Amino acid sequence: MYLKRKIDNYLVEWKNNPNHKPLIIKGARQIGKTESVLHFANKNYKNVIYINFALEKKYLSITDNGYDVNTVIKNITLVTPSIKFIENETIIIFDEIQDYPDIATTLKAFCIDKRFDVICSGSMLGINYKKIHSNSVGYKSDYEMYSMDFEEFLWAKNYNDEQINDILEHMIKTSPFSQTELSVYKSLFIDYCVLGGMPDVVRGYIETETFSGSLEVQEQIRLDYEEDVRKYAEGLDQTKIISVYRSIPAQLAKENKKFQYNIINKNARSREYTGCIEWLNDSGIVMQCYCLQYPELPLKGNVDTSKFKLYYSDTGLLVSALDDESSEDLRVNKNLGVYKGALFENFIAEAFMKQGLGLFYYKKDNSTLEEDFFVRTQEKLVPVEVKSNKNRSKSLAALINNKNYSDIKYGIKLGDFNIGYTNNIYTFPYFCAFAIKKYLKQLDDR
């Protein structure tokens, strides 16, 4: 059972571009990279050559005596004589290239040669990407892939694009959902939060119409991530990296979700963890959200790198990492309990990241003024508040009404309520977060 993904259309457009370059697909383990690439390749090419450097060590020497196309294909056929290269009808898939980053040096030659299409992918490319990029700069294209987002989850549940686009239309027109719409989408959203977007987890849920087996798959993925730390985190304290990763649920359960090293160990100091958080972020296992120095544009040049929050890159994995009682309560009773705020905030961070939006927040020193996230339109800075209750949004109102914050004219509040607009605050149900980027494009016209 193949699950439709957003990369599907991208790959077709890539192939149809007469000037397309070799493609590198980055992303964490088990998000569906290989499955999507092979699905595309088998539908669009007469000849598919698939080489997995992690599983097939015999190919780890195919560039030993040269990086030109003829030498590489000669060495591949030397290892496996049955492989055939048919000009203009062949795609070569180099998978798990983090185990053989040297293959990236051949991309320039393949790009110039143009006889064969090439796609590279790997689960830990962020770690080795600087070397890979320097070896092929200007001669490749890049695609960042994530686990399934809520829109892809709706596709898996047989919702069509017309129905999904209707959600965006409701947002643009500030038109509340009917009670039926709201009830259905809220139920689907909670299921998605519990499951996350790992294709194997979603596929099991679709096929059985239950959560049976989902926790076991999620726990195995988390164990695989920790095994990747032990395998690929060279030159760093691997135990500390794993300790950071395991501490995130407890970090997010706090009222102040800023990452604190003393949650890991009361005597821990930031200098002892140099490189650990960067490794997790580069690998795609976690997402890092930086604190703004001041709530104004630009965003990237306005951060305090010493203050940040960490989220799991897949909310379903966060749910599976909770204590056994909370995880079971979520699956059986849909009771979010003490982790409600953490889960919803992680989901919003995940939704923003998957849309290519950066992750930024603000906490004013010696003040209660703080905001969960910030996004931007072409002209304005937009604070975003994630509400797990019905309390007033004091910080959001303060940011909008303070003339010192000239880049802010309105805000967005996401929570367990319908669409609305009051006092320059747009309110949306949580599940609308997947469409925020498209929604922001039309805000400057208001």
Side-chain angles (χ1 to χ4, degrees), residues 222 243-254 257 263 310-312 317-323 339 342-343 346:
R222 289 187 2 255
S243 296
V244 170
Y245 181 61
R246 291 178 178 176
S247 80
I248 292 175
Q251 302 274 357
L252 294 177
K254 302 186 280 84
K257 295 177 176 58
I263 297 293
L310 289 182
Y311 301 98
Y312 274 23
L317 295 185
L318 175 62
V319 171
S320 74
L322 304 180
D323 57 86
Y339 291 102
L343 295 177
N346 199 102

Side-chain angles (χ1 to χ4, degrees), residues 54-245:
L55 299 178
E56 301 171 293
K57 304 298 184 183
K58 60 186 179 181
Y59 292 109
L60 294 181
S61 59
I62 58 176
T63 62
D64 279 0
N65 54 341
Y67 297 100
D68 62 284
V69 174
N70 287 335
T71 298
V72 171
I73 65 175
K74 177 183 176 181
N75 287 338
I76 291 173
T77 56
L78 188 64
V79 173
T80 309
S82 60
I83 290 179
K84 306 297 181 186
F85 287 85
I86 306 171
E87 294 185 13
N88 302 314
E89 295 181 356
T90 296
I91 184 168
I92 308 168
I93 301 167
F94 293 123
D95 202 0
E96 303 295 357
I97 69 169
Q98 75 279 351
D99 280 35
Y100 193 46
D102 212 30
I103 195 66
T105 309
T106 69
L107 298 185
K108 177 178 179 180
F110 276 107
C111 182
I112 295 171
D113 184 274
K114 295 187 181 301
R115 286 178 293 163
F116 311 104
D117 286 348
V118 177
I119 294 180
C120 299
S121 68
S123 57
M124 304 297 293
L125 282 187
I127 306 305
N128 292 311
Y129 193 68
K130 290 180 180 178
K131 177 180 178 181
I132 290 171
H133 178 71
S134 64
N135 287 344
S136 54
V137 61
Y139 296 95
K140 62 167 179 57
S141 299
D142 295 291
Y143 185 92
E144 188 86 24
M145 191 173 176
Y146 303 95
S147 64
M148 298 172 69
D149 66 10
F150 186 60
E151 184 174 4
E152 291 171 316
F153 179 75
L154 291 176
W155 288 342
K157 291 288 291 180
N158 291 319
Y159 286 83
N160 59 41
D161 288 338
E162 183 178 349
Q163 292 167 307
I164 295 171
N165 289 336
D166 186 61
I167 296 176
L168 178 60
E169 284 301 306
H170 275 280
M171 297 170 67
I172 293 172
K173 295 176 181 178
T174 322
S175 172
F177 294 104
S178 70
Q179 284 306 307
T180 299
E181 291 172 320
L182 198 61
S183 176
V184 168
Y185 288 131
K186 282 170 62 175
S187 178
L188 287 165
F189 165 73
I190 294 298
D191 284 354
Y192 173 74
C193 281
V194 173
L195 292 161
M198 292 298 179
D200 283 349
V201 177
V202 175
R203 186 178 293 107
Y205 163 81
I206 297 297
E207 291 175 344
T208 66
E209 298 183 351
T210 71
F211 292 100
S212 177
S214 61
L215 179 59
E216 290 80 3
V217 176
Q218 290 166 327
E219 288 177 336
Q220 185 58 54
I221 292 172
R222 289 187 2 255
L223 289 173
D224 289 343
Y225 282 173
E226 294 187 7
E227 184 59 33
D228 282 341
V229 173
R230 298 182 180 95
K231 183 176 180 181
Y232 296 108
E234 299 175 1
L236 294 171
D237 190 321
Q238 298 171 359
T239 302
K240 284 188 168 63
I241 295 176
I242 293 172
S243 296
V244 170
Y245 181 61

Side-chain angles (χ1 to χ4, degrees), residues 268-379:
R269 298 292 183 268
S270 61
R271 64 178 179 273
E272 300 170 3
Y273 290 81
T274 301
C276 295
I277 291 168
E278 290 81 356
W279 192 96
L280 287 167
N281 188 56
D282 287 346
S283 70
I285 294 174
V286 306
M287 303 175 292
Q288 196 165 7
C289 179
Y290 283 113
C291 184
L292 296 175
Q293 297 183 69
Y294 194 77
E296 66 181 10
L297 296 173
L299 288 171
K300 290 185 178 179
N302 176 30
V303 297
D304 182 347
T305 56
S306 68
K307 299 176 183 178
F308 55 88
K309 297 184 286 188
L310 289 182
Y311 301 98
Y312 274 23
S313 58
D314 185 90
T315 303
L317 295 185
L318 175 62
V319 171
S320 74
L322 304 180
D323 57 86
D324 292 343
E325 292 77 13
S326 296
S327 186
E328 182 178 355
D329 204 14
L330 268 167
R331 283 172 164 75
V332 176
N333 303 314
K334 307 293 179 67
N335 179 21
L336 304 179
V338 68
Y339 291 102
K340 181 189 295 184
L343 295 177
F344 287 150
E345 192 170 316
N346 199 102
F347 169 79
I348 302 305
E350 180 187 350
F352 285 4
M353 179 64 72
K354 289 176 177 178
Q355 293 169 79
L357 300 170
L359 297 182
F360 306 94
Y361 77 104
Y362 180 67
K363 174 70 170 74
K364 187 174 183 179
D365 292 336
N366 303 316
S367 169
T368 59
L369 181 64
E370 60 180 310
E371 201 52 76
D372 298 319
F373 298 103
F374 284 85
V375 292
R376 65 168 299 171
T377 67
Q378 191 69 28
E379 301 174 356

